[in-house]
Amino acid sequence: SSATGLSNIGGGKVVPRDTLVLFASELGLTVQAGEKTELKGFHGIPWGANLAERNELKLVENTEHVQSYELRDESPMLGEGKVTMFRFVAADGEFARVAIRYSGEKNHTHILAYLQTVFGPTERSPGSMMRGLNQQFTWRTEETEVNLTYQSFQERGNVFIESPTLAPRFNDVLPDSAY
């Protein structure tokens, strides 16, 4: 907690723009609406941490280089959006990514609004889609990258929250024939 009354995870930086405070429990931090938050992890777990040492997580998949964990006791939610899958993924034992799946337009609206509250307005980068059958949204900070894709026809969405320095390790450990 800092002198301004804001707290964050992993020692991240907070750049205030507004004074309305919103508690973002999934990320384990308090933010002000409209500010851009620098995260150095997710759910109170810093990037690079050994997920096997976290009591709140259970191992659900283990390959030679990739380990996936889920929360033991919590119903998966992101903001007010219900999710069908919430996985913490490590590459060679180091926490590098969170993979989230959800369905339904209502959940999509809640999750998108939540991410915009936490990370600020979406980037309008080349190739991103704000409307249409396939929507894509991206937020980037120095320590964290967030990608949301939503297929409106099937009402399915995916969110990847990852460390831009650790997540590329997945490319090194997956075989060329993997898709």
Side-chain angles (χ1 to χ4, degrees), residues 37-111:
T37 304
E38 177 60 68
L39 300 179
K40 294 187 177 188
F42 186 80
H43 200 66
I45 305 171
W47 298 128
N50 182 350
L51 296 178
E53 297 174 351
R54 305 299 297 212
N55 292 330
E56 71 270 28
L57 301 177
K58 63 182 175 185
L59 183 67
V60 294
E61 189 175 348
N62 188 13
T63 65
E64 183 180 353
H65 295 286
V66 179
Q67 302 80 41
S68 297
Y69 297 81
E70 291 180 352
L71 294 168
R72 284 188 192 275
D73 300 324
E74 296 181 34
S75 298
M77 298 279 290
L78 190 60
E80 293 184 29
K82 295 178 184 176
V83 301
T84 56
M85 184 192 80
F86 202 109
R87 289 222 171 143
F88 296 76
V89 187
D92 290 324
E94 293 187 272
F95 176 41
R97 173 182 291 158
V98 177
I100 301 165
R101 287 192 187 136
Y102 64 92
S103 61
E105 188 173 346
K106 183 177 179 182
N107 283 324
H108 173 65
T109 301
H110 287 309
I111 289 170

Side-chain angles (χ1 to χ4, degrees), residues 47-49 65-67 89-97 162-175:
W47 298 128
H65 295 286
V66 179
Q67 302 80 41
V89 187
D92 290 324
E94 293 187 272
F95 176 41
R97 173 182 291 158
E162 58 191 24
S163 163
T165 56
L166 295 173
R169 291 185 185 174
F170 293 114
N171 296 334
D172 297 336
V173 299
L174 295 174

Side-chain angles (χ1 to χ4, degrees), residues 152-168:
S152 60
F153 178 70
Q154 297 175 327
E155 294 190 7
R156 290 190 311 196
N158 294 293
V159 180
F160 293 97
I161 302 171
E162 58 191 24
S163 163
T165 56
L166 295 173

